[in-house]
Amino acid sequence: MPVYLFHCDGCKQDVELTHSFSEPHPKKHKGCGGKLKRTFTAPEIVYKGAGFFHTDKRLDPKPEVE
Ligand SMILES: [Zn+2]
């Protein structure tokens, strides 16, 4: 399951949510009811607990873009 990063306007916290590709992104933080905004930290999707994608990292080190 892919993990998406959100920032909650209600409690000002970064929230990690997991849902499948077919589901729409949640709009509200279940914990406090605040509005969630997508946070884009990296273009790739983070897979949690998966060992099968770790080869990505050494294939192509990302250039630093300011
Ligand atoms: Zn919240």
Side-chain angles (χ1 to χ4, degrees), residues 7-13 15 28-36:
H7 183 79
C8 176
D9 269 355
C11 57
K12 309 287 181 199
Q13 284 194 36
V15 184
K28 277 190 174 182
H29 185 203
K30 275 182 195 149
C32 73
K35 240 195 204 170
L36 287 176

Side-chain angles (χ1 to χ4, degrees), residues 29 35-36 38 41 44-45 56 58 62:
H29 185 203
K35 240 195 204 170
L36 287 176
R38 277 298 299 283
T41 51
E44 73 264 300
I45 296 163
D56 278 5
R58 52 170 202 233
K62 250 185 284 176

Side-chain angles (χ1 to χ4, degrees), residues 1-4 21 44-53 56:
M1 285 275 250
V3 176
Y4 299 93
F21 287 112
E44 73 264 300
I45 296 163
V46 179
Y47 284 84
K48 249 195 184 166
F52 51 90
F53 263 115
D56 278 5

Side-chain angles (χ1 to χ4, degrees), residues 49-64:
F52 51 90
F53 263 115
H54 69 282
T55 48
D56 278 5
K57 279 182 183 158
R58 52 170 202 233
L59 279 181
D60 189 16
K62 250 185 284 176
E64 297 268 28

